[in-house]
Amino acid sequence: MNRRDFLRVAAFGAAMAATPISSISAFGEPTKPLKPSGKLNLSFEPYELKLRHAFNLAKNQRTTTPGVQVQIEYDGVVGYGEASMPPYLGESVDSVCKFLSQTDLAQFSDPFRIEDIHEYLETVAPNNRAAKASVDIALHDLVGKIMGQPWYKIWGLNPANTPNTSYTISYQSDPAEMQHEVDECKPFKIIKVKMGVGHDKELVEIFRKHYDTPICVDANQGWSDKHHALDMCKWLADNGCVFVEQPMPKEQFEDIAWVRERSPLPLIADESLQRLSDVRRMADAFDGINIKLMKSTGMHEAYQMAVLARAMGMKVMLGCMTETSCAVTAAAQLSPMVDWADLDGNLLIANDRFDGIKIIDGKVTIPDRPGIGVELL
Ligand code: MG
């Protein structure tokens, strides 16, 4: 057995606490008891994501997203992760690099101690969710590679159950640019329409001239009046919309609950929630939640959020930021257990570094590779 095979077998044994490690072997050979032989080595570098189209959101416009690429190396195996920091989340290249500089993963000699490592990350600094997600994703990639399995298998999920992903369009004042955005929707089975910027109905009407594809709407907190929000929900229900995401500012929780009682469409929380501890409260104003790795501190808590929301009878949506295929493919590992996916972040950037998730006939397709399923391009 070579060194890599030994590592895989030994580490798999470590994950199975009830099984004597000495009895485990992939080849029918007795294995030696596991002795941690390495340290976790964390490295990182800033990486600016260049957007293929300007993002016109309710509260700003932008053409790039700051990011940080992360690696964790353990005995020659490398796990990849990333942080993506859209400005409204309050993190930056500086804050993520500062957090990662203060993070001492070398104190851990067992990458399978994901729970312990998360507990430690909470002690480094509060918040910093994208920074924590970058470590979590790289750690999951590393552990999956050591086990030789992708995370959807480790979680026991069926890759045939992945949903269609939505593809996002936003209003463009230039007609040629608007037409280009509409043209790119063709392969997708559901389209996400960004609203709250003043051309809401016009955008749907332009789209409807070309396609009758179902749409979902993300108002990005853009409607401040509850009566207007309800009118929009009713109008959208008549125009082939499936659900409305974050219709109003998160501070207007009571108003959102008022709209939800009267809306013909389900309401999904995005900006209103971040982590596992937020999920229960969302049931008072929303029908479902949008989980994103950059909010949830990564895959570990994202999985727990999906389990809790489903147990509460809520819908689950899986989203992403503008990210490379690294973080988007990591999220895709969870996609067989969600109702809707919005995993187009890698398609919206021009400088992806990874091969990973594929959208085939509109459907999320998880690569058959261990870990989070990516390879460097
Ligand atoms: Mg959203």
Side-chain angles (χ1 to χ4, degrees):
M1 184 184 296
N2 64 31
R3 177 178 172 80
R4 178 75 172 265
D5 287 333
F6 170 75
L7 254 183
R8 182 178 295 170
V9 171
F12 182 66
M16 299 172 65
T19 308
I21 290 166
S22 59
S23 70
I24 294 173
S25 169
F27 306 99
E29 303 166 14
T31 61
K32 297 174 186 173
L34 176 67
K35 285 185 182 171
S37 53
K39 299 284 185 191
L40 296 173
N41 299 305
L42 173 68
S43 58
F44 54 92
E45 59 177 346
Y47 189 76
E48 186 176 71
L49 306 169
K50 302 187 187 317
L51 305 185
R52 294 172 61 222
H53 302 292
F55 250 37
N56 294 310
L57 302 177
K59 299 193 174 180
N60 57 44
Q61 184 198 63
R62 66 174 202 272
T63 56
T64 62
T65 302
V68 174
Q69 297 285 313
V70 169
Q71 294 186 19
I72 300 177
E73 184 271 338
Y74 177 81
D75 270 0
V77 184
V78 175
Y80 296 105
E82 97 177 289
S84 169
M85 296 84 73
Y88 65 89
L89 287 181
E91 289 179 74
S92 64
V93 170
D94 283 350
S95 70
V96 170
C97 289
K98 183 181 175 194
F99 181 91
L100 296 175
S101 299
Q102 293 171 341
T103 298
D104 173 24
L105 288 191
Q107 68 184 287
F108 296 98
S109 56
D110 182 353
F112 283 81
R113 295 283 175 87
I114 293 174
E115 189 87 29
D116 288 356
I117 293 170
H118 267 285
E119 280 181 19
Y120 162 69
L121 292 177
E122 292 302 319
T123 69
V124 174
N127 302 315
N128 288 281
R129 290 180 291 272
K132 290 168 185 171
S134 70
V135 175
D136 169 278
I137 294 167
L139 193 58
H140 278 74
D141 193 30
L142 176 67
V143 165
K145 284 174 174 168
I146 292 170
M147 294 175 76
Q149 300 294 340
W151 271 91
Y152 73 82
K153 282 192 180 176
I154 297 168
W155 281 327
L157 305 176
N158 182 348
N161 292 341
T162 57
N164 293 320
T165 186
S166 55
Y167 181 78
T168 301
I169 60 170
S170 59
Y171 182 79
Q172 305 290 334
S173 53
D174 178 60
E177 270 191 48
M178 186 72 254
Q179 185 61 47
H180 186 60
E181 286 228 351
V182 169
D183 290 344
E184 294 204 337
C185 294
K186 192 172 184 181
F188 295 90
K189 301 285 192 276
I190 182 167
I191 303 301
K192 180 166 171 172
V193 182
K194 292 277 191 184
M195 289 199 168
V197 288
H199 298 274
D200 294 353
K201 290 185 179 178
E202 190 182 346
L203 179 53
V204 174
E205 286 161 355
I206 291 170
F207 181 77
R208 281 281 171 257
K209 285 179 187 167
H210 299 84
Y211 304 115
D212 58 5
T213 315
I215 61 171
C216 55
V217 161
D218 188 355
N220 279 116
Q221 312 186 80
W223 301 328
S224 54
D225 179 81
K226 66 182 182 183
H227 297 282
H228 173 65
L230 180 59
D231 287 347
M232 285 302 297
C233 288
K234 290 176 177 174
W235 185 84
L236 288 165
D238 293 336
N239 283 273
C241 181
V242 180
F243 65 84
V244 175
E245 190 182 330
Q246 198 69 41
M248 304 184 70
K250 59 185 178 186
E251 295 80 11
Q252 294 178 239
F253 195 80
E254 299 301 322
D255 287 339
I256 298 170
W258 182 91
V259 175
R260 186 260 194 112
E261 280 181 25
R262 295 159 179 82
S263 169
L265 295 176
L267 305 185
I268 307 299
D270 184 4
E271 286 86 348
S272 284
L273 96 158
Q274 308 287 340
R275 301 187 58 173
L276 179 63
S277 57
D278 301 321
V279 173
R280 288 179 65 182
R281 194 172 74 96
M282 291 303 107
D284 294 338
F286 292 93
D287 303 287
I289 61 168
N290 186 352
I291 300 170
K292 296 176 179 174
L293 299 188
M294 296 302 141
K295 298 192 302 181
S296 69
T297 69
M299 299 166 71
H300 187 62
E301 203 161 302
Y303 176 78
Q304 295 171 326
M305 292 171 76
V307 170
L308 176 57
R310 279 163 51 129
M312 295 178 67
M314 299 182 79
K315 295 286 188 185
V316 178
M317 176 182 177
L318 186 62
C320 61
M321 309 299 177
T322 43
E323 297 161 356
T324 73
S325 289
C326 178
V328 179
T329 310
Q333 300 288 332
L334 195 61
S335 66
M337 66 188 296
V338 309
D339 299 285
W340 299 299
D342 180 28
L343 296 178
D344 63 349
N346 57 325
L347 304 177
L348 304 177
I349 64 167
N351 57 339
D352 203 347
R353 295 182 69 215
F354 292 91
D355 179 72
I357 179 176
K358 295 284 183 287
I359 306 302
I360 299 177
D361 201 23
K363 183 178 159 74
V364 172
T365 307
I366 308 173
D368 187 19
R369 295 185 187 126
I372 62 170
V374 298
E375 281 182 359
L376 266 177
L377 289 171

